[in-house]
Amino acid sequence: MSFLSETLARVKPSPTIAVTTKAQELKAAGLDVIGLGAGEPDFDTPENIKAAAVRAIEAGKTKYTAVDGIVELKQAICAKLKRDNGLDYEPKQVSVSSGGKQVLYNALVATCNPGDEVIIPAPYWVSYPDMVLLAGGTPVAVEGTLANNFKITADQLEAAITPKTKWLIFNSPSNPTGAGYNRTELKALTDVLLRHPHVWVMTDDMYEHLAFDGFEFCTPAEVEPKLYDRTLTINGVSKAYAMTGWRIGYAAGPVELIGAMRKVQSQSTSNPCSISQYAAVEALNGPQDYLAVNNETFVRRRNLVVSMLNDIDGVTCPTPEGAFYVYPDITGCIGKTSKAGTVITNDEVFATALLEETGVAVVFGAAFGLSPNFRVSYATSDEALLEACTRIQTFCAALS
Protein backbone atom coordinates (compact mmCIF):
# COMPACT_ATOMS: atom_id res chain seq x y z
CA MET A 1 0.00 0.00 0.00
CA SER A 2 1.35 3.43 -0.98
CA PHE A 3 2.13 5.89 1.80
CA LEU A 4 0.82 8.73 -0.37
CA SER A 5 -2.83 9.74 -0.68
CA GLU A 6 -4.88 8.09 -3.43
CA THR A 7 -6.32 11.54 -4.17
CA LEU A 8 -2.87 12.81 -5.10
CA ALA A 9 -2.56 10.04 -7.66
CA ARG A 10 -5.46 11.62 -9.57
CA VAL A 11 -3.56 14.83 -10.33
CA LYS A 12 -0.36 15.84 -12.09
CA PRO A 13 2.15 18.65 -11.50
CA SER A 14 1.56 21.93 -13.35
CA PRO A 15 3.00 21.63 -16.90
CA THR A 16 3.52 25.39 -17.16
CA ILE A 17 5.66 25.40 -14.02
CA ALA A 18 7.53 22.35 -15.34
CA VAL A 19 8.35 24.11 -18.62
CA THR A 20 9.53 27.24 -16.83
CA THR A 21 11.68 25.17 -14.48
CA LYS A 22 13.22 23.24 -17.37
CA ALA A 23 14.02 26.47 -19.21
CA GLN A 24 15.67 27.90 -16.09
CA GLU A 25 17.75 24.76 -15.65
CA LEU A 26 18.98 24.90 -19.25
CA LYS A 27 19.83 28.59 -18.87
CA ALA A 28 21.77 27.84 -15.71
CA ALA A 29 23.68 25.21 -17.66
CA GLY A 30 24.80 27.92 -20.06
CA LEU A 31 22.41 27.25 -22.95
CA ASP A 32 20.80 30.09 -24.90
CA VAL A 33 17.15 29.57 -23.91
CA ILE A 34 14.20 31.88 -24.53
CA GLY A 35 11.35 31.07 -22.16
CA LEU A 36 7.85 31.71 -23.50
CA GLY A 37 6.14 29.48 -20.94
CA ALA A 38 5.49 31.69 -17.94
CA GLY A 39 2.29 33.71 -17.66
CA GLU A 40 4.03 36.64 -16.00
CA PRO A 41 4.31 40.26 -17.15
CA ASP A 42 7.89 41.45 -17.56
CA PHE A 43 6.96 44.91 -16.25
CA ASP A 44 8.02 45.89 -12.75
CA THR A 45 5.37 46.49 -10.09
CA PRO A 46 4.39 50.20 -10.30
CA GLU A 47 6.24 52.55 -7.94
CA ASN A 48 3.14 53.74 -6.08
CA ILE A 49 2.30 50.15 -5.15
CA LYS A 50 5.83 49.39 -3.98
CA ALA A 51 5.80 52.62 -1.94
CA ALA A 52 2.55 51.57 -0.25
CA ALA A 53 4.21 48.30 0.77
CA VAL A 54 7.18 50.16 2.24
CA ARG A 55 4.84 52.41 4.21
CA ALA A 56 3.06 49.34 5.56
CA ILE A 57 6.36 47.83 6.69
CA GLU A 58 7.45 51.07 8.34
CA ALA A 59 4.08 51.31 10.10
CA GLY A 60 4.51 47.84 11.55
CA LYS A 61 1.75 46.21 9.49
CA THR A 62 3.57 42.90 9.83
CA LYS A 63 1.21 40.94 12.08
CA TYR A 64 -1.50 38.40 11.36
CA THR A 65 -4.58 39.87 9.74
CA ALA A 66 -8.16 38.64 9.50
CA VAL A 67 -8.17 35.18 7.94
CA ASP A 68 -9.52 36.24 4.56
CA GLY A 69 -8.28 39.80 4.25
CA ILE A 70 -8.11 43.21 5.87
CA VAL A 71 -11.20 45.43 5.80
CA GLU A 72 -9.38 48.12 3.80
CA LEU A 73 -8.66 45.67 1.00
CA LYS A 74 -12.18 44.25 1.02
CA GLN A 75 -13.54 47.78 0.73
CA ALA A 76 -11.19 48.49 -2.18
CA ILE A 77 -12.36 45.31 -3.89
CA CYS A 78 -16.01 46.28 -3.45
CA ALA A 79 -15.25 49.71 -4.91
CA LYS A 80 -13.43 48.13 -7.87
CA LEU A 81 -16.29 45.73 -8.63
CA LYS A 82 -18.77 48.61 -8.55
CA ARG A 83 -16.56 50.93 -10.63
CA ASP A 84 -15.49 48.46 -13.30
CA ASN A 85 -18.28 45.90 -13.40
CA GLY A 86 -21.40 47.54 -11.96
CA LEU A 87 -21.60 44.86 -9.26
CA ASP A 88 -22.65 45.67 -5.70
CA TYR A 89 -20.91 43.72 -2.93
CA GLU A 90 -20.29 44.28 0.76
CA PRO A 91 -17.00 43.40 2.52
CA LYS A 92 -18.65 40.37 4.14
CA GLN A 93 -19.14 38.97 0.62
CA VAL A 94 -15.41 39.17 -0.21
CA SER A 95 -12.59 36.69 0.37
CA VAL A 96 -8.88 37.45 -0.12
CA SER A 97 -6.32 34.67 -0.56
CA SER A 98 -2.70 34.06 -1.50
CA GLY A 99 -3.34 34.31 -5.23
CA GLY A 100 -6.25 33.53 -7.49
CA LYS A 101 -5.34 29.85 -7.50
CA GLN A 102 -6.06 29.57 -3.78
CA VAL A 103 -9.40 31.32 -4.22
CA LEU A 104 -10.43 28.75 -6.82
CA TYR A 105 -9.18 25.86 -4.71
CA ASN A 106 -10.94 27.09 -1.56
CA ALA A 107 -14.22 27.38 -3.43
CA LEU A 108 -13.98 23.92 -4.95
CA VAL A 109 -12.97 22.26 -1.67
CA ALA A 110 -15.81 24.06 0.10
CA THR A 111 -18.48 22.89 -2.35
CA CYS A 112 -17.54 19.69 -4.21
CA ASN A 113 -18.76 16.27 -3.14
CA PRO A 114 -17.87 12.95 -4.80
CA GLY A 115 -19.80 12.70 -8.07
CA ASP A 116 -20.22 16.46 -8.52
CA GLU A 117 -19.35 17.58 -12.04
CA VAL A 118 -17.59 20.82 -12.97
CA ILE A 119 -17.82 22.00 -16.57
CA ILE A 120 -14.57 23.46 -17.88
CA PRO A 121 -14.34 24.92 -21.41
CA ALA A 122 -11.24 23.65 -23.19
CA PRO A 123 -8.60 24.75 -23.83
CA TYR A 124 -8.37 25.63 -20.15
CA TRP A 125 -5.83 26.84 -17.61
CA VAL A 126 -3.90 23.73 -16.61
CA SER A 127 -4.87 23.85 -12.93
CA TYR A 128 -8.67 23.87 -13.25
CA PRO A 129 -9.29 20.13 -13.76
CA ASP A 130 -6.66 19.03 -11.25
CA MET A 131 -8.08 21.29 -8.56
CA VAL A 132 -11.51 19.81 -9.21
CA LEU A 133 -10.02 16.32 -8.81
CA LEU A 134 -8.26 17.29 -5.58
CA ALA A 135 -11.57 18.59 -4.27
CA GLY A 136 -13.25 15.25 -5.04
CA GLY A 137 -15.23 16.43 -8.05
CA THR A 138 -15.24 15.33 -11.68
CA PRO A 139 -14.01 17.75 -14.37
CA VAL A 140 -16.06 17.76 -17.59
CA ALA A 141 -14.20 19.34 -20.50
CA VAL A 142 -16.16 21.02 -23.30
CA GLU A 143 -13.94 21.70 -26.31
CA GLY A 144 -13.96 24.98 -28.18
CA THR A 145 -12.93 24.87 -31.82
CA LEU A 146 -10.36 26.76 -33.84
CA ALA A 147 -13.17 27.88 -36.14
CA ASN A 148 -14.90 29.56 -33.16
CA ASN A 149 -11.65 31.02 -31.81
CA PHE A 150 -11.60 28.30 -29.13
CA LYS A 151 -14.84 29.50 -27.50
CA ILE A 152 -17.72 27.18 -26.61
CA THR A 153 -21.29 27.73 -27.76
CA ALA A 154 -24.55 27.80 -25.85
CA ASP A 155 -25.55 24.48 -27.43
CA GLN A 156 -22.33 22.86 -26.22
CA LEU A 157 -22.89 24.14 -22.69
CA GLU A 158 -26.49 22.92 -22.70
CA ALA A 159 -25.40 19.45 -23.82
CA ALA A 160 -22.78 19.20 -21.06
CA ILE A 161 -25.09 20.01 -18.15
CA THR A 162 -26.42 17.06 -16.16
CA PRO A 163 -28.19 16.75 -12.81
CA LYS A 164 -24.71 16.25 -11.29
CA THR A 165 -23.32 19.54 -12.59
CA LYS A 166 -22.36 21.91 -9.76
CA TRP A 167 -20.15 24.55 -11.38
CA LEU A 168 -19.19 26.09 -14.70
CA ILE A 169 -15.67 27.52 -14.56
CA PHE A 170 -15.55 30.47 -16.95
CA ASN A 171 -12.41 32.37 -18.02
CA SER A 172 -12.42 35.36 -20.40
CA PRO A 173 -10.05 36.58 -21.74
CA SER A 174 -8.70 33.08 -21.66
CA ASN A 175 -5.53 31.44 -20.55
CA PRO A 176 -4.21 29.84 -22.82
CA THR A 177 -5.86 31.31 -25.93
CA GLY A 178 -6.42 34.99 -25.12
CA ALA A 179 -9.91 34.61 -26.59
CA GLY A 180 -12.59 36.82 -25.07
CA TYR A 181 -16.36 36.36 -25.04
CA ASN A 182 -18.25 39.47 -26.10
CA ARG A 183 -21.50 40.43 -24.40
CA THR A 184 -23.70 38.65 -26.95
CA GLU A 185 -21.71 35.42 -26.70
CA LEU A 186 -21.72 35.52 -22.91
CA LYS A 187 -25.45 36.32 -22.77
CA ALA A 188 -26.11 33.16 -24.80
CA LEU A 189 -24.26 31.14 -22.15
CA THR A 190 -25.98 32.84 -19.23
CA ASP A 191 -29.36 32.18 -20.86
CA VAL A 192 -28.52 28.47 -20.70
CA LEU A 193 -27.54 28.76 -17.03
CA LEU A 194 -30.84 30.43 -16.20
CA ARG A 195 -32.57 27.24 -17.31
CA HIS A 196 -30.47 25.19 -14.88
CA PRO A 197 -30.72 26.77 -11.41
CA HIS A 198 -28.57 24.06 -9.78
CA VAL A 199 -25.48 25.16 -11.74
CA TRP A 200 -23.25 27.86 -10.23
CA VAL A 201 -20.71 30.01 -12.09
CA MET A 202 -17.07 30.39 -11.02
CA THR A 203 -15.72 33.17 -13.23
CA ASP A 204 -11.98 33.75 -13.42
CA ASP A 205 -11.58 37.40 -14.49
CA MET A 206 -7.83 37.60 -13.93
CA TYR A 207 -7.18 39.07 -17.39
CA GLU A 208 -9.99 41.62 -17.26
CA HIS A 209 -7.77 44.66 -17.85
CA LEU A 210 -5.75 43.00 -20.62
CA ALA A 211 -8.30 43.58 -23.39
CA PHE A 212 -7.32 44.85 -26.84
CA ASP A 213 -8.66 46.35 -30.08
CA GLY A 214 -11.78 47.76 -28.47
CA PHE A 215 -12.84 44.46 -26.95
CA GLU A 216 -15.14 45.23 -24.01
CA PHE A 217 -14.70 42.91 -21.06
CA CYS A 218 -17.84 41.68 -19.31
CA THR A 219 -18.46 39.19 -16.51
CA PRO A 220 -21.42 36.80 -16.05
CA ALA A 221 -23.17 38.48 -13.09
CA GLU A 222 -22.88 41.80 -14.91
CA VAL A 223 -24.39 40.44 -18.13
CA GLU A 224 -27.14 38.50 -16.33
CA PRO A 225 -27.97 39.95 -12.88
CA LYS A 226 -30.29 37.00 -12.18
CA LEU A 227 -27.14 34.88 -11.75
CA TYR A 228 -25.74 37.13 -9.01
CA ASP A 229 -26.77 34.79 -6.18
CA ARG A 230 -24.98 31.80 -7.70
CA THR A 231 -21.88 33.45 -9.10
CA LEU A 232 -18.41 33.60 -7.58
CA THR A 233 -16.53 36.44 -9.28
CA ILE A 234 -12.76 35.87 -9.00
CA ASN A 235 -9.97 38.31 -9.79
CA GLY A 236 -6.59 39.44 -8.51
CA VAL A 237 -3.75 41.91 -8.88
CA SER A 238 -1.10 39.63 -10.38
CA LYS A 239 -1.45 40.15 -14.13
CA ALA A 240 -2.68 43.70 -14.81
CA TYR A 241 -0.66 45.25 -11.97
CA ALA A 242 2.49 43.11 -12.53
CA MET A 243 2.26 41.72 -8.99
CA THR A 244 2.62 37.99 -9.60
CA GLY A 245 5.00 37.45 -6.69
CA TRP A 246 2.89 39.42 -4.22
CA ARG A 247 0.30 36.60 -4.25
CA ILE A 248 -3.07 38.33 -3.83
CA GLY A 249 -6.27 37.02 -5.35
CA TYR A 250 -9.85 37.68 -4.33
CA ALA A 251 -13.44 36.65 -4.86
CA ALA A 252 -16.89 38.09 -4.27
CA GLY A 253 -20.02 36.01 -3.90
CA PRO A 254 -22.85 34.88 -1.63
CA VAL A 255 -22.18 35.25 2.10
CA GLU A 256 -22.66 31.53 2.83
CA LEU A 257 -20.14 30.50 0.18
CA ILE A 258 -17.62 33.12 1.28
CA GLY A 259 -17.99 31.86 4.86
CA ALA A 260 -17.31 28.30 3.75
CA MET A 261 -14.21 29.41 1.85
CA ARG A 262 -13.04 31.29 4.94
CA LYS A 263 -13.37 28.09 6.95
CA VAL A 264 -11.16 26.22 4.46
CA GLN A 265 -8.56 28.98 4.51
CA SER A 266 -8.61 29.21 8.31
CA GLN A 267 -7.48 25.60 8.53
CA SER A 268 -4.94 25.72 5.71
CA THR A 269 -2.96 28.90 5.10
CA SER A 270 -4.81 31.48 7.19
CA ASN A 271 -4.33 35.08 6.06
CA PRO A 272 -2.46 36.21 2.94
CA CYS A 273 0.70 38.28 3.40
CA SER A 274 -0.11 41.46 5.31
CA ILE A 275 2.27 43.67 3.31
CA SER A 276 0.92 42.37 0.01
CA GLN A 277 -2.59 43.21 1.13
CA TYR A 278 -1.72 46.85 1.77
CA ALA A 279 0.05 47.00 -1.59
CA ALA A 280 -3.09 45.60 -3.25
CA VAL A 281 -5.20 48.34 -1.66
CA GLU A 282 -3.03 50.90 -3.46
CA ALA A 283 -3.19 48.90 -6.71
CA LEU A 284 -6.98 48.96 -6.73
CA ASN A 285 -7.51 52.47 -5.33
CA GLY A 286 -4.54 54.22 -6.94
CA PRO A 287 -3.93 55.51 -10.49
CA GLN A 288 -5.00 53.16 -13.28
CA ASP A 289 -3.64 55.08 -16.27
CA TYR A 290 -0.60 52.84 -16.79
CA LEU A 291 -2.88 49.88 -17.61
CA ALA A 292 -3.62 51.36 -21.05
CA VAL A 293 0.07 52.13 -21.59
CA ASN A 294 1.04 48.55 -20.78
CA ASN A 295 -1.67 47.26 -23.09
CA GLU A 296 -0.16 49.19 -26.01
CA THR A 297 3.03 47.22 -25.45
CA PHE A 298 1.15 43.94 -25.27
CA VAL A 299 -0.74 44.68 -28.50
CA ARG A 300 2.52 45.41 -30.33
CA ARG A 301 4.02 42.16 -29.07
CA ARG A 302 0.87 40.19 -29.89
CA ASN A 303 0.82 41.48 -33.45
CA LEU A 304 4.48 40.59 -33.92
CA VAL A 305 4.00 37.02 -32.68
CA VAL A 306 0.74 36.37 -34.55
CA SER A 307 2.21 37.68 -37.81
CA MET A 308 5.40 35.65 -37.58
CA LEU A 309 3.65 32.43 -36.57
CA ASN A 310 1.06 32.75 -39.34
CA ASP A 311 3.91 33.02 -41.84
CA ILE A 312 4.78 29.38 -41.05
CA ASP A 313 3.40 26.64 -43.30
CA GLY A 314 1.35 24.22 -41.21
CA VAL A 315 0.67 26.73 -38.40
CA THR A 316 -2.52 28.73 -37.84
CA CYS A 317 -2.53 31.39 -35.13
CA PRO A 318 -5.76 33.29 -34.34
CA THR A 319 -5.51 36.88 -33.11
CA PRO A 320 -6.67 36.96 -29.46
CA GLU A 321 -8.78 39.68 -27.88
CA GLY A 322 -6.85 39.83 -24.61
CA ALA A 323 -4.49 38.33 -22.02
CA PHE A 324 -0.90 37.84 -23.22
CA TYR A 325 -1.02 34.45 -24.89
CA VAL A 326 -1.45 33.00 -28.36
CA TYR A 327 -2.43 29.40 -29.03
CA PRO A 328 -1.33 28.39 -32.53
CA ASP A 329 -2.67 25.25 -34.17
CA ILE A 330 0.08 22.99 -35.58
CA THR A 331 -2.01 20.40 -37.41
CA GLY A 332 0.17 20.87 -40.47
CA CYS A 333 3.31 19.91 -38.55
CA ILE A 334 2.08 16.60 -37.15
CA GLY A 335 3.66 13.53 -38.76
CA LYS A 336 6.71 15.40 -40.02
CA THR A 337 10.33 14.92 -38.89
CA SER A 338 12.57 17.57 -37.37
CA LYS A 339 16.06 18.38 -38.61
CA ALA A 340 17.48 16.36 -35.70
CA GLY A 341 15.36 13.35 -36.64
CA THR A 342 12.46 13.62 -34.20
CA VAL A 343 9.10 12.50 -35.58
CA ILE A 344 6.47 15.05 -34.51
CA THR A 345 3.70 12.72 -33.36
CA ASN A 346 1.92 15.23 -31.11
CA ASP A 347 2.25 18.72 -29.65
CA GLU A 348 4.22 17.55 -26.61
CA VAL A 349 6.86 16.04 -28.88
CA PHE A 350 6.83 19.27 -30.91
CA ALA A 351 7.44 21.42 -27.81
CA THR A 352 10.19 19.12 -26.54
CA ALA A 353 11.99 19.07 -29.88
CA LEU A 354 11.62 22.83 -30.22
CA LEU A 355 13.27 23.35 -26.82
CA GLU A 356 16.07 20.85 -27.38
CA GLU A 357 16.86 21.93 -30.96
CA THR A 358 16.31 25.69 -30.78
CA GLY A 359 16.23 26.68 -27.11
CA VAL A 360 12.68 28.07 -27.29
CA ALA A 361 10.44 26.97 -24.41
CA VAL A 362 6.67 26.83 -25.02
CA VAL A 363 3.90 24.81 -23.38
CA PHE A 364 2.32 21.97 -25.36
CA GLY A 365 -1.41 22.08 -26.05
CA ALA A 366 -2.37 18.77 -24.43
CA ALA A 367 -1.62 20.37 -21.06
CA PHE A 368 -4.52 22.74 -21.73
CA GLY A 369 -6.92 20.06 -22.94
CA LEU A 370 -6.86 20.75 -26.68
CA SER A 371 -4.38 19.54 -29.31
CA PRO A 372 -2.43 19.91 -31.52
CA ASN A 373 -1.39 23.35 -30.31
CA PHE A 374 1.16 25.12 -28.17
CA ARG A 375 0.94 28.21 -25.99
CA VAL A 376 3.21 31.20 -26.29
CA SER A 377 3.32 33.85 -23.59
CA TYR A 378 4.34 37.14 -25.21
CA ALA A 379 4.85 38.86 -21.84
CA THR A 380 8.53 39.38 -22.60
CA SER A 381 10.69 41.77 -24.59
CA ASP A 382 10.20 42.51 -28.30
CA GLU A 383 13.78 41.41 -28.95
CA ALA A 384 13.25 38.03 -27.25
CA LEU A 385 9.97 37.49 -29.10
CA LEU A 386 11.50 38.34 -32.47
CA GLU A 387 14.39 35.93 -31.89
CA ALA A 388 12.11 33.19 -30.53
CA CYS A 389 9.66 33.41 -33.42
CA THR A 390 12.55 33.41 -35.89
CA ARG A 391 13.82 30.18 -34.31
CA ILE A 392 10.31 28.65 -34.46
CA GLN A 393 10.09 29.60 -38.14
CA THR A 394 13.45 27.98 -38.82
CA PHE A 395 12.50 24.85 -36.87
CA CYS A 396 9.22 24.43 -38.73
CA ALA A 397 10.76 25.19 -42.12
CA ALA A 398 13.19 22.30 -41.54
CA LEU A 399 10.39 19.80 -40.88
CA SER A 400 10.12 17.22 -43.62
Side-chain angles (χ1 to χ4, degrees):
M1 180 180 296
S2 173
F3 175 73
L4 300 179
S5 166
E6 292 180 3
T7 299
L8 194 61
R10 304 173 71 194
V11 304
K12 58 186 180 300
S14 169
T16 52
I17 293 176
V19 167
T20 302
T21 301
K22 179 67 172 177
Q24 291 171 342
E25 290 173 350
L26 292 175
K27 279 185 178 181
L31 299 181
D32 179 16
V33 175
I34 303 175
L36 303 180
E40 181 172 48
D42 60 327
F43 307 126
D44 192 17
T45 302
E47 292 300 322
N48 64 304
I49 298 173
K50 292 192 289 186
V54 172
R55 289 194 300 271
I57 293 171
E58 292 175 340
K61 305 291 188 181
T62 57
K63 308 298 184 183
Y64 292 133
T65 73
V67 167
D68 61 350
I70 59 176
V71 172
E72 297 94 325
L73 180 51
K74 291 188 176 187
Q75 291 171 335
I77 291 165
C78 291
K80 173 261 176 277
L81 290 168
K82 179 64 174 178
R83 177 182 70 235
D84 296 341
N85 313 113
L87 296 173
D88 290 305
Y89 287 99
E90 300 177 25
K92 65 182 180 181
Q93 294 176 275
V94 174
S95 178
V96 183
S97 297
S98 298
K101 182 178 286 189
Q102 187 184 10
V103 176
L104 290 154
Y105 184 74
N106 286 350
L108 291 167
V109 168
T111 58
C112 284
N113 295 307
D116 286 344
E117 296 176 350
V118 178
I119 295 174
I120 307 173
Y124 43 67
W125 181 45
V126 295
S127 293
Y128 291 149
D130 288 291
M131 285 193 287
V132 171
L133 290 167
L134 278 171
T138 301
V140 177
V142 178
E143 292 188 1
T145 63
L146 176 62
N148 198 39
N149 201 16
F150 304 114
K151 292 178 281 191
I152 68 167
T153 66
D155 287 343
Q156 286 180 291
L157 176 59
E158 182 79 56
I161 293 174
T162 75
K164 295 180 180 179
T165 304
K166 178 157 282 186
W167 288 102
L168 162 68
I169 297 181
F170 181 77
N171 177 219
S172 169
S174 159
N175 176 5
T177 68
Y181 289 74
N182 62 37
R183 189 170 292 267
T184 299
E185 292 167 331
L186 183 50
K187 184 63 169 66
L189 298 182
T190 59
D191 284 348
V192 172
L193 295 169
L194 288 178
R195 296 194 290 271
H196 300 276
H198 67 291
V199 181
W200 285 49
V201 190
M202 189 180 300
T203 176
D204 182 352
D205 297 347
M206 196 63 68
Y207 298 93
E208 169 184 5
H209 291 301
L210 291 125
F212 315 137
D213 302 334
F215 174 77
E216 295 185 5
F217 170 84
C218 51
T219 194
E222 172 191 5
V223 170
E224 181 46 76
K226 293 176 183 177
L227 291 177
Y228 176 90
D229 290 332
R230 50 187 170 107
T231 298
L232 184 69
T233 300
I234 300 171
N235 212 318
V237 297
S238 61
K239 309 299 184 180
Y241 300 101
M243 294 176 67
T244 50
W246 298 76
R247 307 308 299 137
I248 294 292
Y250 60 82
V255 170
E256 183 179 7
L257 173 59
I258 295 298
M261 293 166 60
R262 183 185 308 116
K263 183 184 294 186
V264 173
Q265 189 157 305
S266 73
Q267 297 294 1
S268 54
T269 63
S270 195
N271 67 271
C273 171
S274 62
I275 304 305
S276 296
Q277 291 187 66
Y278 286 99
V281 171
E282 174 62 23
L284 296 177
N285 287 344
Q288 307 289 304
D289 53 317
Y290 55 82
L291 297 177
V293 176
N294 289 352
N295 280 359
E296 292 177 3
T297 299
F298 281 132
V299 168
R300 184 182 68 248
R301 293 170 175 177
R302 179 202 65 178
N303 292 344
L304 168 69
V305 172
V306 169
S307 175
M308 292 189 71
L309 293 180
N310 275 327
D311 281 343
I312 302 172
D313 288 338
V315 175
T316 303
C317 185
T319 301
E321 291 88 352
F324 38 65
Y325 309 106
V326 295
Y327 199 66
D329 178 283
I330 57 168
T331 299
C333 299
I334 302 301
K336 295 184 177 181
T337 303
S338 76
K339 186 176 182 179
T342 299
V343 179
I344 308 300
T345 54
N346 56 47
D347 51 36
E348 184 171 5
V349 172
F350 177 95
T352 300
L354 182 68
L355 177 58
E356 293 176 348
E357 297 181 31
T358 74
V360 176
V362 300
V363 186
F364 57 93
F368 304 101
L370 189 71
S371 294
N373 299 76
F374 65 92
R375 190 193 76 172
V376 166
S377 169
Y378 54 85
T380 190
S381 71
D382 295 47
E383 294 77 16
L385 291 170
L386 178 61
E387 175 62 22
C389 288
T390 300
R391 294 184 193 183
I392 295 173
Q393 288 180 335
T394 302
F395 175 82
C396 291
L399 295 175
S400 60

